[in-house]
């Protein structure tokens, strides 16, 4: 099925819109080294944030136990 076409002002070229699902599948199945590098950086940043939240939770738990 072709992508939907959005028409603009008279005389303008049509604009093709990509669906979000297709973009995700393209990113996850790519062999392009630049895209893989971007995904690697994004993934490492997400895990860094998750680890930070977990460290804050452990710190809060220890603070609550020590204050008793």
């Amino acid at each position: 099925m072709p992508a939907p076409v959005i028409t603009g002002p008279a005389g303008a070229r049509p604009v093709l819109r990509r669906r979000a699902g297709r973009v995700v599948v393209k990113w996850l199945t790519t062999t392009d080294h630049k895209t893989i590098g971007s995904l690697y950086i994004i993934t490492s940043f997400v895990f860094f944030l998750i680890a930070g939240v977990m460290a804050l939770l452990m710190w809060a738990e220890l603070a609550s136990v020590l204050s008793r």
Side-chain angles (χ1 to χ4, degrees):
M1 173 184 275
V5 177
I6 306 297
T7 56
R13 286 192 270 159
V15 178
L16 295 177
R17 297 184 79 195
R18 289 185 173 179
R19 293 185 181 168
R22 289 185 181 184
V23 173
V24 171
V25 169
K26 185 178 177 182
W27 268 46
L28 294 178
T29 58
T30 188
T31 56
D32 180 27
H33 67 283
K34 293 178 185 177
T35 306
I36 292 172
S38 298
L39 290 173
Y40 187 79
I41 290 171
I42 291 169
T43 303
S44 62
F45 186 70
V46 167
F47 279 116
F48 179 75
L49 291 176
I50 291 171
V53 169
M54 291 176 70
L56 286 174
L57 289 173
M58 286 187 271
W59 180 81
E61 184 178 1
L62 285 173
S64 68
V65 171
L66 294 177
S67 66
R68 291 181 188 181

